[in-house]
């Protein structure tokens, strides 16, 4: 079987003595699943008695897609008699003793640390559509690659396939690749549908007829777009947020403080003039006295009233609220009533954080909020977090909420603290129409 040029590049890295992790894809129609299946087939035949993992976010999807590709390729290559598929055990067992284990890699709340993989030992792994699993799953699988490596003179090898997605795959592979900072043990290979001469022209045309976000991702391989319908802030709105030529600084000034919790290093301050963030700073490993002192300095410097200062009151932040005597923001507090047509109504949000996040996302999408920021690192970090502001349970009726912080942390590999200091700004908009009934610190 003749491989695509990009597939040949990937196979080269999967066989060298330096590369340990390969991410392949970045668009539709590039032969991602086929590459992974062909690699596992070759390894199982070449190294008898080895054990390999084929994984995906959900086992059901793996069986309906990747596994079917495996069987189709085996038929074409006329090697179907060299193995037996044991459906009940989720194992492909080869006649020479090699095995391919089919694994469900979804991040289940009942197994947050993937303890189900704890005793697993494999020789190598292929995770199809790896952008759909959390980074911790990728890391755990990588730590399980040690079976019979020395016996066959191998090093740990891991292959992932994906379409563009603004999560850990972007952060760990694509962005370093684009900036030429990808470590030597990792390789990224972008494969576009136009790289595959065997695709039918009608398929390419169907990709071009997709909506803008999907077309950019799946045809052009543009990683800066996200077509998740749950996403609240699109890429263009985020770009405009950091280019706020349309925002006029006017009215009162406000200070939002996301206080460092246990295990975190930074407390983040943002100063707002109206809906424009005019200053952002962070202080590392600070005690309550330092946070309070710096908040007072910012209040004096920018002329911010104490009543226009708010701090995250959960955990350690409660002490800041007590000492500073500012407003307190409790993430899981009940949402505040909102004025509609002259009447206060109970909003349909699951908590205060969801309410402020969703409403602040609307402000950013409407180009009514922005930020002056000349720090590329801060800007990129904030962009990553804004892209993860998404509705949870989008297909279910009930109260609106955003995906929880621990889920976002699993996706991007850190806590989304920049967004917390941004979304709190909307609390003051709620207070304007609901002054007497707001809980304060």
């Amino acid at each position: 079987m003749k491989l695509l040029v990009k597939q040949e590049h990937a196979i080269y890295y999967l066989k060298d003595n330096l590369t340990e992790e390969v991410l392949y894809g970045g668009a539709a129609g590039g032969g991602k699943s086929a590459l992974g299946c062909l690699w596992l087939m070759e390894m199982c035949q070449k190294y008898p008695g080895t054990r390999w993992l084929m994984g995906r976010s959900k086992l059901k999807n793996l069986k309906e897609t990747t596994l079917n590709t495996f069987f189709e390729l085996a038929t074409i290559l006329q090697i179907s008699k060299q193995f037996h598929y044991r459906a009940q055990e989720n194992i492909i067992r080869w006649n020479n003793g090699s095995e391919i284990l089919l694994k469900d890699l979804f991040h289940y709340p009942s197994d947050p640390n993937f303890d189900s993989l704890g005793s697993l030992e494999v020789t190598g792994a292929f995770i199809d559509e790896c952008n759909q699993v959390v980074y911790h799953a990728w890391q755990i699988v990588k730590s399980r690659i040690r079976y019979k490596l020395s016996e066959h003179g191998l090093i740990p090898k891991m292959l992932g396939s994906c379409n563009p997605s603004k999560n850990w795959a972007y952060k760990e592979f694509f962005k370093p690749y684009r900036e030429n900072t990808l470590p030597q043990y990792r390789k990224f290979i972008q494969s576009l549908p136009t790289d595959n001469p065997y695709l039918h022209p009608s398929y390419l045309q169907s990709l071009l007829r997709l909506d803008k976000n999907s077309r950019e991702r799946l045809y052009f391989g543009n990683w800066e777009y996200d077509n998740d319908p749950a996403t609240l802030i699109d890429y263009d709105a985020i770009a405009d947020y950091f280019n706020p030529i349309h925002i006029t600084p006017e009215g009162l000034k406000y200070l939002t403080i996301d206080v460092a919790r246990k295990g975190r290093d930074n407390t983040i301050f943002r100063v707002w003039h109206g809906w424009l963030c005019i200053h952002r700073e962070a202080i590392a490993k600070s005690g309550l006295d330092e946070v309070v002192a710096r908040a007072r300095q910012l209040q004096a410097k920018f002329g911010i009233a104490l009543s226009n200062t708010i701090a995250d009151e959960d955990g350690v932040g409660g002490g800041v609220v007590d000492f500073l005597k500012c407003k307190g923001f409790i993430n899981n507090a009940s949402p505040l009533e909102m004025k509609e047509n002259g009447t206060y109504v109970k909003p349909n949000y699951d908590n205060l954080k969801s309410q402020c996040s969703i409403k602040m996302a609307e402000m950013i999408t409407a180009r009514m909020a922005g930020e002056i920021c000349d720090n590329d690192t801060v800007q990129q970090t904030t962009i990553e977090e804004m892209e993860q502001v998404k509705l949870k349970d989008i297909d279910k009726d009930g109260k609106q909420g955003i995906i929880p912080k621990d889920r976002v942390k699993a996706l991007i590999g850190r806590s989304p603290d920049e967004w917390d200091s941004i979304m709190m700004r909307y609390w003051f908009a709620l207070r304007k129409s609901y002054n007497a009934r707001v809980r304060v610190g």
Side-chain angles (χ1 to χ4, degrees), residues 40-59:
L40 292 183
M41 288 175 179
E42 181 178 359
M43 294 298 100
C44 285
Q45 294 176 87
K46 188 174 182 180
Y47 301 106
T50 53
R51 184 184 303 129
W52 304 79
L53 180 147
M54 178 192 291
R56 192 162 175 170
S57 176
K58 290 293 186 72
L59 186 61

Side-chain angles (χ1 to χ4, degrees), residues 61-339:
N61 292 338
L62 177 67
K63 290 182 174 181
E64 291 175 350
T65 57
T66 315
L67 186 59
N68 282 335
T69 299
F70 183 93
F71 292 146
E72 290 170 5
L73 291 171
T75 299
I76 293 173
L77 295 172
Q78 299 181 356
I79 60 170
S80 298
K81 294 184 178 181
Q82 294 187 31
F83 61 83
H84 300 278
Y85 171 50
R86 299 179 180 269
Q88 293 296 107
E89 303 173 52
N90 297 315
I91 294 177
I92 299 171
R93 188 158 289 150
W94 294 74
N95 298 341
N96 65 1
S98 294
E99 294 178 337
I100 299 176
L101 311 181
L102 310 184
K103 288 294 180 179
D104 184 313
L105 300 176
F106 187 75
H107 190 225
Y108 292 100
S110 59
D111 187 19
N113 295 315
F114 295 94
D115 293 331
S116 59
L117 301 178
S119 60
L120 181 69
E121 290 189 6
V122 295
T123 315
F126 165 51
I127 302 180
D128 204 7
E129 300 296 348
C130 65
N131 55 301
Q132 297 174 0
V133 307
V134 299
Y135 186 45
H136 190 49
W138 178 273
Q139 293 176 304
I140 292 297
V141 171
K142 175 72 180 297
S143 72
R144 303 291 92 197
I145 302 178
R146 61 191 183 199
Y147 186 68
K148 292 190 175 182
L149 295 179
S150 299
E151 179 179 327
H152 293 286
L154 300 171
I155 67 171
K157 292 283 184 178
M158 192 160 176
L159 170 65
S161 76
C162 72
N163 292 322
S165 182
K166 296 303 289 288
N167 57 14
W168 65 267
Y170 175 93
K171 178 184 176 183
E172 298 292 331
F173 282 88
F174 179 75
K175 186 172 181 287
Y177 162 80
R178 184 184 62 193
E179 297 173 351
N180 200 30
T181 59
L182 199 63
Q184 283 190 324
Y185 70 91
R186 283 179 168 170
K187 294 294 185 295
F188 169 75
I189 300 172
Q190 176 104 347
S191 179
L192 303 177
T194 50
D195 295 325
N196 188 348
Y198 305 109
L199 289 178
H200 196 279
S202 62
Y203 176 73
L204 297 178
Q205 288 301 314
S206 68
L207 292 178
L208 287 171
R209 285 192 290 268
L210 294 171
D211 63 88
K212 180 181 179 182
N213 281 2
S214 299
R215 183 171 63 250
E216 288 287 339
R217 291 176 59 253
L218 301 179
Y219 185 87
F220 296 106
N222 189 339
W223 284 71
E224 305 302 338
Y225 282 79
D226 189 346
N227 72 337
D228 187 341
T231 299
L232 291 174
I233 317 174
D234 62 43
Y235 174 74
D236 291 334
I238 294 174
D240 289 339
Y241 175 84
F242 285 107
N243 185 30
I245 57 175
H246 53 290
I247 305 295
T248 301
E250 57 186 3
L252 299 175
K253 292 181 180 177
Y254 305 90
L255 176 62
T256 58
I257 310 170
D258 184 55
V259 184
R261 295 176 182 81
K262 183 178 179 180
R264 265 191 39 215
D265 293 333
N266 295 336
T267 290
I268 299 172
F269 303 85
R270 271 185 165 83
V271 175
W272 303 82
H273 191 175
W275 289 100
L276 179 67
C277 178
I278 59 175
H279 177 78
R280 178 267 181 204
E281 68 176 67
I283 54 176
K285 298 182 179 179
S286 310
L288 291 180
D289 54 341
E290 294 175 88
V291 175
V292 171
R294 186 54 188 157
R296 287 173 175 162
Q297 291 170 359
L298 291 171
Q299 287 174 329
K301 178 180 179 180
F302 292 97
I304 303 171
L306 187 60
S307 60
N308 287 340
T309 300
I310 191 168
D312 180 1
E313 194 174 352
D314 292 326
V316 180
V320 174
V321 172
D322 290 340
F323 282 102
L324 193 59
K325 299 188 184 307
C326 66
K327 308 302 182 185
F329 188 99
I330 300 178
N331 290 289
N332 287 322
S334 298
L336 303 181
E337 290 184 358
M338 300 173 67
K339 195 171 185 179

Side-chain angles (χ1 to χ4, degrees), residues 3 6-24 32 34-40 42-43 46-47 52 123-126 138 154-160 185 187 189:
L3 297 177
K6 295 292 182 66
Q7 289 176 327
E8 291 179 346
H9 291 173
I11 290 295
Y12 173 82
Y13 293 122
L14 289 169
K15 292 183 177 180
D16 69 13
N17 293 317
L18 179 65
T19 308
E20 297 180 8
E21 301 175 29
V22 177
L23 185 66
Y24 180 86
K32 301 185 296 295
L35 171 68
C37 293
L38 290 170
W39 176 57
L40 292 183
E42 181 178 359
M43 294 298 100
K46 188 174 182 180
Y47 301 106
W52 304 79
T123 315
F126 165 51
W138 178 273
L154 300 171
I155 67 171
K157 292 283 184 178
M158 192 160 176
L159 170 65
Y185 70 91
K187 294 294 185 295
I189 300 172

